[in-house]
mmCIF file of all heavy atoms in Angstrom:
data_model
loop_
_atom_site.group_PDB
_atom_site.id
_atom_site.type_symbol
_atom_site.label_atom_id
_atom_site.label_comp_id
_atom_site.label_asym_id
_atom_site.label_seq_id
_atom_site.Cartn_x
_atom_site.Cartn_y
_atom_site.Cartn_z
ATOM 1 N N THR A 23 -57.689 -14.626 -3.496
ATOM 2 C CA THR A 23 -57.371 -16.060 -3.620
ATOM 3 C C THR A 23 -56.143 -16.394 -4.446
ATOM 4 O O THR A 23 -55.680 -17.491 -4.489
ATOM 5 C CB THR A 23 -58.567 -16.875 -4.248
ATOM 6 O OG1 THR A 23 -58.770 -16.333 -5.532
ATOM 7 C CG2 THR A 23 -59.775 -16.625 -3.330
ATOM 8 N N GLY A 24 -55.532 -15.333 -5.064
ATOM 9 C CA GLY A 24 -54.319 -15.555 -5.864
ATOM 10 C C GLY A 24 -53.195 -15.987 -4.914
ATOM 11 O O GLY A 24 -53.202 -15.825 -3.658
ATOM 12 N N VAL A 25 -52.134 -16.614 -5.523
ATOM 13 C CA VAL A 25 -51.040 -17.132 -4.667
ATOM 14 C C VAL A 25 -49.761 -16.386 -5.110
ATOM 15 O O VAL A 25 -49.569 -15.979 -6.278
ATOM 16 C CB VAL A 25 -50.867 -18.597 -4.811
ATOM 17 C CG1 VAL A 25 -52.074 -19.348 -4.219
ATOM 18 C CG2 VAL A 25 -50.749 -19.078 -6.240
ATOM 19 N N ARG A 26 -48.869 -16.322 -4.160
ATOM 20 C CA ARG A 26 -47.594 -15.664 -4.351
ATOM 21 C C ARG A 26 -46.552 -16.575 -3.656
ATOM 22 O O ARG A 26 -46.868 -17.199 -2.620
ATOM 23 C CB ARG A 26 -47.479 -14.291 -3.740
ATOM 24 C CG ARG A 26 -48.467 -13.319 -4.311
ATOM 25 C CD ARG A 26 -48.238 -12.945 -5.723
ATOM 26 N NE ARG A 26 -49.109 -11.952 -6.254
ATOM 27 C CZ ARG A 26 -50.256 -12.163 -6.822
ATOM 28 N NH1 ARG A 26 -50.702 -13.361 -6.990
ATOM 29 N NH2 ARG A 26 -50.994 -11.229 -7.321
ATOM 30 N N PRO A 27 -45.274 -16.570 -4.077
ATOM 31 C CA PRO A 27 -44.280 -17.337 -3.367
ATOM 32 C C PRO A 27 -43.977 -16.673 -1.990
ATOM 33 O O PRO A 27 -43.933 -15.496 -1.859
ATOM 34 C CB PRO A 27 -43.044 -17.345 -4.267
ATOM 35 C CG PRO A 27 -43.217 -16.203 -5.156
ATOM 36 C CD PRO A 27 -44.715 -15.952 -5.297
ATOM 37 N N ASN A 28 -43.742 -17.535 -0.947
ATOM 38 C CA ASN A 28 -43.318 -17.018 0.336
ATOM 39 C C ASN A 28 -41.936 -16.427 0.178
ATOM 40 O O ASN A 28 -41.084 -17.168 -0.295
ATOM 41 C CB ASN A 28 -43.391 -18.075 1.322
ATOM 42 C CG ASN A 28 -43.028 -17.632 2.736
ATOM 43 O OD1 ASN A 28 -42.022 -17.059 2.905
ATOM 44 N ND2 ASN A 28 -43.816 -18.080 3.659
ATOM 45 N N PRO A 29 -41.661 -15.207 0.593
ATOM 46 C CA PRO A 29 -40.328 -14.623 0.370
ATOM 47 C C PRO A 29 -39.209 -15.383 1.091
ATOM 48 O O PRO A 29 -38.080 -15.379 0.714
ATOM 49 C CB PRO A 29 -40.457 -13.229 0.920
ATOM 50 C CG PRO A 29 -41.651 -13.098 1.688
ATOM 51 C CD PRO A 29 -42.595 -14.269 1.237
ATOM 52 N N TRP A 30 -39.588 -16.112 2.232
ATOM 53 C CA TRP A 30 -38.535 -16.875 2.951
ATOM 54 C C TRP A 30 -38.503 -18.304 2.536
ATOM 55 O O TRP A 30 -37.566 -19.023 2.880
ATOM 56 C CB TRP A 30 -38.853 -16.782 4.456
ATOM 57 C CG TRP A 30 -38.949 -15.362 4.932
ATOM 58 C CD1 TRP A 30 -40.054 -14.727 5.365
ATOM 59 C CD2 TRP A 30 -37.888 -14.373 4.870
ATOM 60 N NE1 TRP A 30 -39.773 -13.418 5.620
ATOM 61 C CE2 TRP A 30 -38.440 -13.190 5.393
ATOM 62 C CE3 TRP A 30 -36.508 -14.417 4.554
ATOM 63 C CZ2 TRP A 30 -37.701 -12.030 5.461
ATOM 64 C CZ3 TRP A 30 -35.808 -13.230 4.679
ATOM 65 C CH2 TRP A 30 -36.411 -12.042 5.142
ATOM 66 N N GLY A 31 -39.449 -18.751 1.728
ATOM 67 C CA GLY A 31 -39.460 -20.146 1.204
ATOM 68 C C GLY A 31 -40.237 -20.059 -0.105
ATOM 69 O O GLY A 31 -41.323 -20.487 -0.107
ATOM 70 N N PRO A 32 -39.573 -19.670 -1.167
ATOM 71 C CA PRO A 32 -40.263 -19.460 -2.479
ATOM 72 C C PRO A 32 -40.960 -20.759 -2.965
ATOM 73 O O PRO A 32 -41.860 -20.645 -3.813
ATOM 74 C CB PRO A 32 -39.134 -19.034 -3.439
ATOM 75 C CG PRO A 32 -38.090 -18.499 -2.526
ATOM 76 C CD PRO A 32 -38.179 -19.281 -1.251
ATOM 77 N N ASP A 33 -40.568 -21.915 -2.496
ATOM 78 C CA ASP A 33 -41.284 -23.130 -2.997
ATOM 79 C C ASP A 33 -42.659 -23.265 -2.309
ATOM 80 O O ASP A 33 -43.467 -24.106 -2.773
ATOM 81 C CB ASP A 33 -40.488 -24.390 -2.629
ATOM 82 C CG ASP A 33 -39.196 -24.423 -3.462
ATOM 83 O OD1 ASP A 33 -39.114 -23.788 -4.527
ATOM 84 O OD2 ASP A 33 -38.297 -25.132 -3.013
ATOM 85 N N HIS A 34 -42.890 -22.511 -1.250
ATOM 86 C CA HIS A 34 -44.168 -22.498 -0.579
ATOM 87 C C HIS A 34 -45.043 -21.330 -0.991
ATOM 88 O O HIS A 34 -44.595 -20.143 -0.909
ATOM 89 C CB HIS A 34 -43.966 -22.439 0.944
ATOM 90 C CG HIS A 34 -43.153 -23.568 1.460
ATOM 91 N ND1 HIS A 34 -43.640 -24.891 1.532
ATOM 92 C CD2 HIS A 34 -41.832 -23.642 1.822
ATOM 93 C CE1 HIS A 34 -42.697 -25.700 1.989
ATOM 94 N NE2 HIS A 34 -41.592 -24.942 2.205
ATOM 95 N N LEU A 35 -46.216 -21.581 -1.516
ATOM 96 C CA LEU A 35 -47.102 -20.482 -1.995
ATOM 97 C C LEU A 35 -48.001 -20.065 -0.836
ATOM 98 O O LEU A 35 -48.428 -20.838 -0.018
ATOM 99 C CB LEU A 35 -47.900 -20.984 -3.153
ATOM 100 C CG LEU A 35 -47.066 -21.380 -4.422
ATOM 101 C CD1 LEU A 35 -47.970 -21.904 -5.471
ATOM 102 C CD2 LEU A 35 -46.264 -20.244 -4.882
ATOM 103 N N GLU A 36 -48.283 -18.739 -0.824
ATOM 104 C CA GLU A 36 -49.212 -18.172 0.120
ATOM 105 C C GLU A 36 -50.320 -17.405 -0.654
ATOM 106 O O GLU A 36 -50.012 -16.891 -1.742
ATOM 107 C CB GLU A 36 -48.509 -17.113 1.007
ATOM 108 C CG GLU A 36 -47.293 -17.625 1.715
ATOM 109 C CD GLU A 36 -47.588 -18.470 2.970
ATOM 110 O OE1 GLU A 36 -48.828 -18.452 3.346
ATOM 111 O OE2 GLU A 36 -46.729 -19.161 3.381
ATOM 112 N N THR A 37 -51.492 -17.444 -0.151
ATOM 113 C CA THR A 37 -52.580 -16.626 -0.806
ATOM 114 C C THR A 37 -52.285 -15.150 -0.515
ATOM 115 O O THR A 37 -51.626 -14.787 0.492
ATOM 116 C CB THR A 37 -53.971 -17.003 -0.273
ATOM 117 O OG1 THR A 37 -54.069 -16.612 1.136
ATOM 118 C CG2 THR A 37 -54.247 -18.506 -0.482
ATOM 119 N N VAL A 38 -52.871 -14.298 -1.347
ATOM 120 C CA VAL A 38 -52.772 -12.853 -1.141
ATOM 121 C C VAL A 38 -53.453 -12.519 0.166
ATOM 122 O O VAL A 38 -52.941 -11.662 0.878
ATOM 123 C CB VAL A 38 -53.379 -12.103 -2.328
ATOM 124 C CG1 VAL A 38 -53.439 -10.608 -2.046
ATOM 125 C CG2 VAL A 38 -52.562 -12.396 -3.625
ATOM 126 N N LEU A 39 -54.523 -13.170 0.439
ATOM 127 C CA LEU A 39 -55.215 -12.889 1.719
ATOM 128 C C LEU A 39 -54.342 -13.186 2.922
ATOM 129 O O LEU A 39 -54.239 -12.432 3.889
ATOM 130 C CB LEU A 39 -56.518 -13.772 1.834
ATOM 131 C CG LEU A 39 -57.298 -13.603 3.111
ATOM 132 C CD1 LEU A 39 -57.759 -12.114 3.242
ATOM 133 C CD2 LEU A 39 -58.473 -14.504 3.077
ATOM 134 N N SER A 40 -53.562 -14.281 2.857
ATOM 135 C CA SER A 40 -52.632 -14.605 3.936
ATOM 136 C C SER A 40 -51.498 -13.575 4.034
ATOM 137 O O SER A 40 -51.126 -13.191 5.151
ATOM 138 C CB SER A 40 -52.033 -16.040 3.652
ATOM 139 O OG SER A 40 -51.003 -16.282 4.590
ATOM 140 N N CYS A 41 -51.082 -13.115 2.933
ATOM 141 C CA CYS A 41 -50.001 -12.016 2.934
ATOM 142 C C CYS A 41 -50.564 -10.727 3.576
ATOM 143 O O CYS A 41 -49.880 -10.145 4.404
ATOM 144 C CB CYS A 41 -49.533 -11.727 1.517
ATOM 145 S SG CYS A 41 -48.701 -13.124 0.715
ATOM 146 N N LEU A 42 -51.783 -10.389 3.189
ATOM 147 C CA LEU A 42 -52.366 -9.246 3.808
ATOM 148 C C LEU A 42 -52.644 -9.398 5.337
ATOM 149 O O LEU A 42 -52.415 -8.438 6.028
ATOM 150 C CB LEU A 42 -53.730 -8.900 3.075
ATOM 151 C CG LEU A 42 -53.581 -8.256 1.673
ATOM 152 C CD1 LEU A 42 -54.945 -8.119 1.094
ATOM 153 C CD2 LEU A 42 -52.920 -6.917 1.781
ATOM 154 N N HIS A 43 -53.016 -10.553 5.668
ATOM 155 C CA HIS A 43 -53.161 -10.863 7.162
ATOM 156 C C HIS A 43 -51.897 -10.640 7.883
ATOM 157 O O HIS A 43 -51.846 -10.011 8.925
ATOM 158 C CB HIS A 43 -53.676 -12.281 7.377
ATOM 159 C CG HIS A 43 -55.162 -12.444 7.207
ATOM 160 N ND1 HIS A 43 -55.732 -13.641 7.212
ATOM 161 C CD2 HIS A 43 -56.123 -11.515 7.010
ATOM 162 C CE1 HIS A 43 -57.045 -13.486 6.997
ATOM 163 N NE2 HIS A 43 -57.289 -12.188 6.875
ATOM 164 N N THR A 44 -50.770 -11.099 7.293
ATOM 165 C CA THR A 44 -49.475 -10.912 7.929
ATOM 166 C C THR A 44 -49.075 -9.389 8.006
ATOM 167 O O THR A 44 -48.631 -8.994 9.088
ATOM 168 C CB THR A 44 -48.377 -11.641 7.089
ATOM 169 O OG1 THR A 44 -48.673 -13.078 7.040
ATOM 170 C CG2 THR A 44 -47.013 -11.486 7.678
ATOM 171 N N ILE A 45 -49.274 -8.717 6.975
ATOM 172 C CA ILE A 45 -48.991 -7.297 6.987
ATOM 173 C C ILE A 45 -49.769 -6.610 8.010
ATOM 174 O O ILE A 45 -49.236 -5.775 8.852
ATOM 175 C CB ILE A 45 -49.224 -6.600 5.600
ATOM 176 C CG1 ILE A 45 -48.144 -7.151 4.575
ATOM 177 C CG2 ILE A 45 -49.172 -5.103 5.665
ATOM 178 C CD1 ILE A 45 -48.498 -6.839 3.158
ATOM 179 N N LEU A 46 -51.083 -6.841 8.054
ATOM 180 C CA LEU A 46 -51.924 -6.095 9.003
ATOM 181 C C LEU A 46 -51.693 -6.538 10.468
ATOM 182 O O LEU A 46 -51.739 -5.698 11.409
ATOM 183 C CB LEU A 46 -53.439 -6.337 8.648
ATOM 184 C CG LEU A 46 -53.827 -5.727 7.324
ATOM 185 C CD1 LEU A 46 -55.254 -6.034 6.937
ATOM 186 C CD2 LEU A 46 -53.582 -4.219 7.225
ATOM 187 N N ASP A 47 -51.395 -7.793 10.657
ATOM 188 C CA ASP A 47 -51.043 -8.291 12.017
ATOM 189 C C ASP A 47 -49.745 -7.627 12.491
ATOM 190 O O ASP A 47 -49.668 -7.190 13.636
ATOM 191 C CB ASP A 47 -50.947 -9.827 12.010
ATOM 192 C CG ASP A 47 -50.647 -10.334 13.435
ATOM 193 O OD1 ASP A 47 -51.463 -10.051 14.313
ATOM 194 O OD2 ASP A 47 -49.629 -11.043 13.545
ATOM 195 N N GLU A 48 -48.711 -7.607 11.566
ATOM 196 C CA GLU A 48 -47.475 -6.898 11.968
ATOM 197 C C GLU A 48 -47.708 -5.436 12.325
ATOM 198 O O GLU A 48 -47.163 -4.907 13.304
ATOM 199 C CB GLU A 48 -46.523 -7.031 10.839
ATOM 200 C CG GLU A 48 -45.923 -8.423 10.592
ATOM 201 C CD GLU A 48 -44.940 -8.814 11.702
ATOM 202 O OE1 GLU A 48 -44.139 -7.917 12.116
ATOM 203 O OE2 GLU A 48 -44.936 -9.971 12.108
ATOM 204 N N GLU A 49 -48.520 -4.750 11.549
ATOM 205 C CA GLU A 49 -48.782 -3.346 11.725
ATOM 206 C C GLU A 49 -49.428 -3.184 13.137
ATOM 207 O O GLU A 49 -49.140 -2.261 13.891
ATOM 208 C CB GLU A 49 -49.637 -2.787 10.619
ATOM 209 C CG GLU A 49 -49.839 -1.272 10.695
ATOM 210 C CD GLU A 49 -48.597 -0.534 10.461
ATOM 211 O OE1 GLU A 49 -47.611 -1.031 9.876
ATOM 212 O OE2 GLU A 49 -48.583 0.727 10.770
ATOM 213 N N TRP A 50 -50.431 -3.993 13.393
ATOM 214 C CA TRP A 50 -51.195 -3.923 14.657
ATOM 215 C C TRP A 50 -50.196 -4.207 15.829
ATOM 216 O O TRP A 50 -50.254 -3.475 16.873
ATOM 217 C CB TRP A 50 -52.322 -4.912 14.652
ATOM 218 C CG TRP A 50 -53.073 -4.967 15.929
ATOM 219 C CD1 TRP A 50 -53.110 -5.853 16.970
ATOM 220 C CD2 TRP A 50 -54.087 -4.002 16.295
ATOM 221 N NE1 TRP A 50 -53.934 -5.541 17.910
ATOM 222 C CE2 TRP A 50 -54.551 -4.369 17.566
ATOM 223 C CE3 TRP A 50 -54.594 -2.831 15.736
ATOM 224 C CZ2 TRP A 50 -55.522 -3.626 18.237
ATOM 225 C CZ3 TRP A 50 -55.576 -2.086 16.475
ATOM 226 C CH2 TRP A 50 -55.990 -2.566 17.651
ATOM 227 N N SER A 51 -49.351 -5.196 15.703
ATOM 228 C CA SER A 51 -48.414 -5.475 16.784
ATOM 229 C C SER A 51 -47.443 -4.357 17.027
ATOM 230 O O SER A 51 -47.149 -4.054 18.130
ATOM 231 C CB SER A 51 -47.611 -6.791 16.467
ATOM 232 O OG SER A 51 -48.540 -7.908 16.398
ATOM 233 N N HIS A 52 -46.951 -3.763 15.966
ATOM 234 C CA HIS A 52 -45.990 -2.643 16.142
ATOM 235 C C HIS A 52 -46.661 -1.467 16.817
ATOM 236 O O HIS A 52 -46.068 -0.788 17.651
ATOM 237 C CB HIS A 52 -45.430 -2.230 14.737
ATOM 238 C CG HIS A 52 -44.396 -3.123 14.225
ATOM 239 N ND1 HIS A 52 -43.121 -3.217 14.733
ATOM 240 C CD2 HIS A 52 -44.455 -4.051 13.240
ATOM 241 C CE1 HIS A 52 -42.438 -4.133 14.094
ATOM 242 N NE2 HIS A 52 -43.196 -4.647 13.163
ATOM 243 N N LEU A 53 -47.944 -1.234 16.442
ATOM 244 C CA LEU A 53 -48.670 -0.148 17.127
ATOM 245 C C LEU A 53 -48.833 -0.445 18.610
ATOM 246 O O LEU A 53 -48.585 0.421 19.458
ATOM 247 C CB LEU A 53 -50.016 0.042 16.434
ATOM 248 C CG LEU A 53 -50.968 1.056 17.123
ATOM 249 C CD1 LEU A 53 -50.364 2.422 17.117
ATOM 250 C CD2 LEU A 53 -52.348 1.017 16.511
ATOM 251 N N ARG A 54 -49.186 -1.673 18.962
ATOM 252 C CA ARG A 54 -49.429 -2.077 20.327
ATOM 253 C C ARG A 54 -48.094 -1.877 21.129
ATOM 254 O O ARG A 54 -48.122 -1.335 22.253
ATOM 255 C CB ARG A 54 -49.808 -3.493 20.524
ATOM 256 C CG ARG A 54 -51.295 -3.743 20.078
ATOM 257 C CD ARG A 54 -51.737 -5.220 20.235
ATOM 258 N NE ARG A 54 -51.261 -5.802 21.456
ATOM 259 C CZ ARG A 54 -50.563 -6.967 21.500
ATOM 260 N NH1 ARG A 54 -50.254 -7.635 20.447
ATOM 261 N NH2 ARG A 54 -50.165 -7.452 22.669
#
């Protein structure tokens, strides 16, 4: 539930869960 700044828009905060979803989705897509 922690938040981090979005690397492309540091004024916009993202949850750690959202960041992990992005990483895992990207990994899955690259594998496909």
Side-chain angles (χ1 to χ4, degrees):
T23 62
V25 294
R26 303 289 185 271
N28 182 310
W30 305 112
D33 293 338
H34 302 285
L35 299 179
E36 305 285 345
T37 65
V38 171
L39 180 60
S40 174
C41 296
L42 285 172
H43 280 171
T44 299
I45 292 168
L46 296 174
D47 183 55
E48 287 287 321
E49 187 68 17
W50 180 256
S51 294
H52 285 287
L53 175 64
R54 286 180 44 233

